[in-house]
Amino acid sequence: MSEAAERKINKLETAPFDARFPNTNQTKHCWQSYVDYHKCIGAKGEDSSLCVQFFKNYNSLCPSSWIDRWNDQLEAGTFASNINPNA
């Protein structure tokens, strides 16, 4: 990841309101932000400001144990969603 992207990521904030997820339970927002981030970096690269925003969202919403498990699943090819940006 580039130095500019790392500087943007260093300051994590609470994810902004997203009308697709109006309820208090933000589990779906966490999942969708994680998937959107990986689709975004495949399509636009890690330095895209949109990708950085997805990264911040899922890191502020998701428990780190979930992120670690999903990262392991991505590496093993067993992740439950298609993260191909063309899909």
Side-chain angles (χ1 to χ4, degrees):
M1 185 174 295
S2 74
E3 204 172 302
E6 286 183 26
R7 280 196 300 270
K8 290 179 187 177
I9 292 170
N10 284 339
K11 184 181 177 206
L12 292 178
E13 300 169 347
T14 301
F17 176 75
D18 188 333
R20 297 175 299 167
F21 310 103
N23 301 320
T24 304
N25 184 340
Q26 293 293 298
T27 302
K28 289 180 184 177
H29 191 180
C30 156
W31 168 262
Q32 192 62 52
S33 293
Y34 183 84
V35 170
D36 288 345
Y37 169 74
H38 288 284
K39 284 184 177 184
C40 183
I41 61 172
K44 300 180 182 219
E46 293 181 358
D47 294 333
S48 167
S49 61
L50 181 60
C51 297
V52 169
Q53 187 59 48
F54 287 135
F55 180 87
K56 287 181 177 182
N57 287 353
Y58 86 75
N59 273 289
S60 69
L61 292 169
C62 303
S64 59
S65 62
W66 292 7
I67 296 169
D68 292 341
R69 184 172 2 128
W70 293 338
N71 288 337
D72 292 343
Q73 290 171 353
L74 277 174
E75 290 176 18
T78 60
F79 189 64
S81 179
N82 182 1
I83 60 166
N84 182 348
N86 299 321

